[in-house]
Amino acid sequence: MSVTSVMSGDPTIGIHDLSFATTQYVLTHATLAAENGTDIAKYHAGIGQRSMSVPAADEDIVTMAAAAAAPVIARHGAERIRTVVFATETSVDQAKAAGIHVHSLLGLPSATRVVELKQACYGATAALQFAIGLVHRDRSQQVLVIASDVSKYELGNPGEATQGAAAVAMLVSADPALVRIEDPSGVFTADIMDFWRPNYRTTALVDGQESISAYLQAVEGTWKDYTEQGGRALTEFSAFCYHQPFTKMAYKAHRHLTQQGGHDTDQAEIARCVGPTTTYNMDVGNSYTASVYLALASLLDHADDLTDQAVGFLSYGSGSVAEFFAGTVVPGYRSHLRSAMHREAVARREDIDYAQYRVLHEQAFPVDGGDHPLPRETTGPYRLAGISGHKRIYEPR
Ligand code: HMG
């Protein structure tokens, strides 16, 4: 098959709308550094993080997801949505899909299929690709893709500075208003224990340096496969959205990619291609599945006009699975953005001190099956009201 026929595929399916939400609280890295004695330059310059989103006691992946998706439903209605795919690695139940709670909170029609997907931070990209397949089968349908996660490491672990939380909702449809997703994808899987979370733990285990090497190995692997699948040349891209466990990782990854492609690794050029994708992630922290799409939101909200330009996406999930693919920005996209709402989601968070953060970090529901209501804390649109008989109870605020 020729490169042109692979590239053509069905170029008119992609992201029609994108909205994100984050938490009630924020812990700054200055506060964390003052507590643990770290030189703040390590956080600001070394890993490229300024603050991290922290959920209130009555917030979780479901409340963030519903807050992200509600504006999408308000704008487009739910009539054409027959599938909701919820990607997360912070699942709240081993059987029931978290998306069913969102389906209920948003009053979506019963004629909907709802499912949850997991493969670390990569899950949302799998969801996006599956959604494109469904729309390809019936172009009148839309798929609501949700990525929602809370990143949590043990107190004092080097990963602590790379926590965060957010949800992204994307409406995938034919003739999208924002980004058309192209057919060739480079995919890569390697069985590696760089980061994992056994079912009995609430915090992740990680081999930090190993995870960075595994990520870079995946960049190489996906790019090789993308090229073999007849993808674009590196020089055709205007920007690159990387999974950002911390924003400096995007710079490391892009330097590695350009080296692999035999190109100049000029710092200014790397900053031009990656810098505009990092604005939200440096304040929100690692949002796992949502991170790469928060990078897209940041790019669309902050870069100069990107009309008809190609954007590269590198989605990495520890364990590990990764994918490199391309999108083209649709003419007129700017009038469909939610830039003010996104900036407000980040700006409205309340600063907490280290003691408050510690209490929230250690909070856990009793497992006795009793009634455990939660006090009203979040000022977001949805809340976790409590747990009763082992059932989580959600409500609009
Ligand atoms: P660490 O040991 O705390 O930090 O771990 P470090 O010593 O490696 O320093 C970090 C950077 O700060 C270095 O820069 C230092 O030089 C610099 P680099 O050499 O890498 O360019 N630095 C300073 N700069 C300025 N002034 C200073 C200073 N001191 C040091 N005074 C690590 C950092 C990221 C490993 C840790 O936070 C961690 O384990 N995080 C969690 C794992 C992680 O995020 N891995 C990333 C790849 S895996 C991934 O992305 C998947 C994931 O999202 C999960 C999923 O898929 O579900 C995690």
Side-chain angles (χ1 to χ4, degrees):
M1 200 183 276
S2 74
V3 168
T4 330
S5 65
V6 174
M7 292 289 292
S8 58
D10 184 346
T12 59
I13 299 174
I15 303 168
H16 192 48
D17 195 1
L18 187 158
S19 151
F20 83 77
T22 184
T23 59
Q24 178 69 15
Y25 298 128
V26 60
L27 180 78
T28 66
H29 280 77
T31 303
L32 183 63
E35 175 65 28
N36 65 17
T38 299
D39 179 354
I40 189 62
K42 173 173 172 180
Y43 292 154
H44 287 175
I47 61 170
Q49 291 304 122
R50 304 195 73 82
S51 59
M52 57 176 91
S53 286
V54 178
D58 56 351
E59 290 180 320
D60 69 3
I61 55 160
V62 169
T63 62
M64 289 192 297
V72 174
I73 304 300
R75 185 185 281 179
H76 303 278
E79 296 73 28
R80 294 172 60 193
I81 299 175
R82 288 181 60 79
T83 307
V84 177
V85 192
F86 192 116
T88 187
E89 57 176 298
T90 324
S91 206
V92 292
D93 194 283
Q94 295 286 29
K96 182 172 174 136
I100 302 177
H101 294 296
V102 177
H103 176 276
S104 170
L105 284 169
L106 300 184
L108 300 183
S110 58
T112 311
R113 64 166 79 81
V114 182
V115 70
E116 188 168 311
L117 278 187
K118 178 187 69 183
Q119 182 7 71
C121 303
Y122 168 73
T125 297
L128 173 64
Q129 294 294 3
F130 298 166
I132 290 169
L134 285 169
V135 177
H136 194 66
R137 198 168 74 174
D138 176 357
R139 292 174 63 86
S140 70
Q141 293 186 22
Q142 298 178 325
V143 179
L144 180 62
V145 169
I146 299 174
S148 184
D149 269 305
V150 178
S151 161
K152 203 168 165 187
Y153 296 90
E154 270 177 11
L155 297 171
N157 182 285
E160 186 181 10
T162 63
Q163 298 174 125
V168 166
M170 294 184 280
L171 192 62
V172 175
S173 78
D175 303 318
L178 298 179
V179 180
R180 296 187 203 107
I181 303 298
E182 295 176 357
D183 268 358
S185 261
V187 289
F188 179 81
T189 291
D191 183 1
I192 185 162
M193 295 302 280
D194 60 328
F195 164 105
W196 68 107
R197 185 168 67 81
N199 286 346
Y200 49 82
R201 287 182 63 100
T202 55
T203 51
L205 295 163
V206 65
D207 181 340
Q209 300 308 330
E210 172 86 6
S211 72
I212 293 173
S213 314
Y215 185 132
L216 296 179
Q217 193 195 345
V219 168
E220 231 173 289
T222 54
W223 180 254
K224 181 172 175 292
D225 188 45
Y226 178 71
T227 306
E228 287 168 5
Q229 299 299 316
R232 290 173 177 272
L234 205 56
T235 48
E236 290 178 48
F237 292 97
S238 296
F240 292 82
C241 295
Y242 287 90
H243 166 55
Q244 294 172 19
F246 51 95
T247 62
K248 268 297 159 68
M249 190 67 225
Y251 291 82
K252 279 184 197 292
H254 195 55
R255 193 174 311 116
H256 195 72
L257 182 65
T258 47
Q259 272 164 358
Q260 292 307 309
H263 293 279
D264 207 5
T265 52
D266 175 53
Q267 292 299 344
E269 179 57 12
I270 293 175
R272 192 192 62 75
C273 288
V274 169
T277 72
T278 60
T279 310
Y280 296 138
N281 281 302
M282 78 172 65
D283 280 327
V284 166
N286 193 354
S287 55
Y288 292 160
T289 51
S291 165
V292 64
Y293 300 102
L294 227 62
L296 173 62
S298 175
L299 176 71
L300 297 176
D301 288 348
H302 297 100
D304 292 341
D305 188 14
L306 290 163
T307 301
D308 288 328
Q309 297 190 35
V311 175
F313 294 83
L314 187 287
S315 177
Y316 176 76
S318 283
S320 70
V321 177
E323 180 160 345
F324 185 95
F325 61 99
T328 319
V329 181
V330 176
Y333 74 98
R334 279 188 149 158
S335 56
H336 302 277
L337 296 178
R338 300 177 178 278
S339 315
M341 188 192 96
H342 291 158
R343 291 192 187 108
E344 171 62 14
V346 174
R348 69 180 279 279
R349 296 169 305 164
E350 269 173 62
D351 259 316
I352 50 172
D353 62 18
Y354 187 80
Q356 278 173 284
Y357 154 71
R358 236 191 122 108
V359 168
L360 289 163
H361 192 279
E362 301 298 276
Q363 178 200 269
F365 276 118
V367 293
D368 57 7
D371 287 339
H372 300 289
L374 285 167
R376 287 180 186 278
E377 211 174 317
T378 180
T379 57
Y382 302 98
R383 65 182 295 271
L384 174 62
I387 189 166
S388 177
H390 296 295
K391 295 174 192 154
R392 292 170 93 86
I393 300 158
Y394 293 97
E395 63 186 20
R397 192 177 56 84

